[in-house]
Amino acid sequence: MATKKPARRRTAASSRRKPGPRKSVARKPRRGGFWQRRATDLAWFVAQQGEKHTTTVQSRKDAAILRATHQGCQRCGGNGQIFTKGKDGSFTGSKPCPAKPQTMKVSRLKVAAAARFGQDKRSGLCGWKCPCGKSEKPRYRDAKTATTALRTHERKTHGGAGVGGSWYAQVPDTKPAKTPAPAVTKIATGSGKTDAQWEKQNKATPPAKAQAQGKCWQCSGQGALYSAFGGKQLTTVCGECTGTGKAAAKAA
């Protein structure tokens, strides 16, 4: 009598995960001779710089659109984005302006001009700087992307360890222009000086030297200007320092 073969144990079919679509990563080819590889390196560098410039210009355009649509907004100061600061004055984060845009459509020509010309072409963008000397001008749309770029630099250069780098933001200058004080002129009587002696009281100190000494560059620290006209000797309060004779405080 033939022996029966043992029943084969059936196992459930293992569920295999289907491979997802692989992202195509551009890689620099390394074939060819020495000069061909050098030409490939140069072409690769030019392509990377062109891509970086295109991204930067697009970020400037986005920032220009926000400035145009939020012009006159009291919440963001016309920036379209609100940057928060810590107690020490450093930037800590950014968020979109929650207010409704003042304008819903802007000219493409004005946006292109604002993104390429003027001192506000980088306003609303973020950059980063590292104590090692490496830095990038404002070209990122928000604090998150600027911080990511800073961490990439730290990973490549400093082994991933933070060395005190930080990101910063450029905001439009909303301070009102300084209006000069009205000139106050008085007529001097009984000075006992000739017109030439009267005008000689004006000190001819070079502006750079006067600023270094903490004096007003226009009156050299005297607070007044002396002149003679039409037979009258005049004393005019300096409009730059408003009579204090001190140099103007430098903007932070």
Side-chain angles (χ1 to χ4, degrees), residues 170-191:
Q170 179 171 328
V171 295
D173 187 10
T174 56
K175 296 180 181 179
K178 181 182 177 181
T179 56
V184 179
T185 304
K186 295 181 179 180
I187 301 176
T189 56
S191 64

Side-chain angles (χ1 to χ4, degrees), residues 9 19 47 65 94-95 115 127 138 147 201 206 209 212 223 229 234 247:
R9 188 176 179 181
I65 292 173
S94 62
K95 60 181 180 180
T147 304
Q201 295 180 96
K209 185 177 180 180
F229 180 76
L234 310 175

Side-chain angles (χ1 to χ4, degrees), residues 86-121:
K87 294 182 179 180
D88 57 350
S90 60
F91 290 98
T92 57
S94 62
K95 60 181 180 180
C97 179
K100 185 178 179 181
Q102 304 290 330
T103 307
M104 298 304 297
K105 189 176 181 180
V106 293
S107 170
R108 294 179 61 183
L109 183 60
K110 291 183 178 179
V111 168
R116 288 175 171 84
F117 308 103
Q119 60 182 1
D120 282 339
K121 66 180 181 181

Side-chain angles (χ1 to χ4, degrees), residues 75-213:
R75 303 191 68 172
C76 64
N79 192 34
Q81 192 172 190
I82 299 176
F83 296 103
T84 57
K85 293 184 178 181
K87 294 182 179 180
D88 57 350
S90 60
F91 290 98
T92 57
S94 62
K95 60 181 180 180
C97 179
K100 185 178 179 181
Q102 304 290 330
T103 307
M104 298 304 297
K105 189 176 181 180
V106 293
S107 170
R108 294 179 61 183
L109 183 60
K110 291 183 178 179
V111 168
R116 288 175 171 84
F117 308 103
Q119 60 182 1
D120 282 339
K121 66 180 181 181
R122 296 182 183 272
S123 295
L125 301 179
C126 303
W128 60 268
K129 52 187 175 182
C130 183
C132 70
K134 180 68 175 179
S135 63
E136 275 193 317
K137 294 180 180 180
R139 57 181 294 263
Y140 299 100
R141 283 298 302 119
D142 51 21
K144 184 178 180 180
T145 53
T147 304
T148 301
L150 175 61
R151 297 293 176 261
T152 302
H153 162 74
E154 291 176 344
R155 185 173 62 255
K156 291 182 178 180
T157 307
H158 308 290
V163 291
S166 61
W167 65 272
Y168 64 98
Q170 179 171 328
V171 295
D173 187 10
T174 56
K175 296 180 181 179
K178 181 182 177 181
T179 56
V184 179
T185 304
K186 295 181 179 180
I187 301 176
T189 56
S191 64
K193 298 180 180 180
T194 62
D195 291 351
Q197 292 174 339
W198 182 261
E199 292 181 344
K200 199 173 182 179
Q201 295 180 96
N202 296 315
K203 295 183 179 180
T205 307
K209 185 177 180 180
Q211 289 283 355
Q213 296 175 353

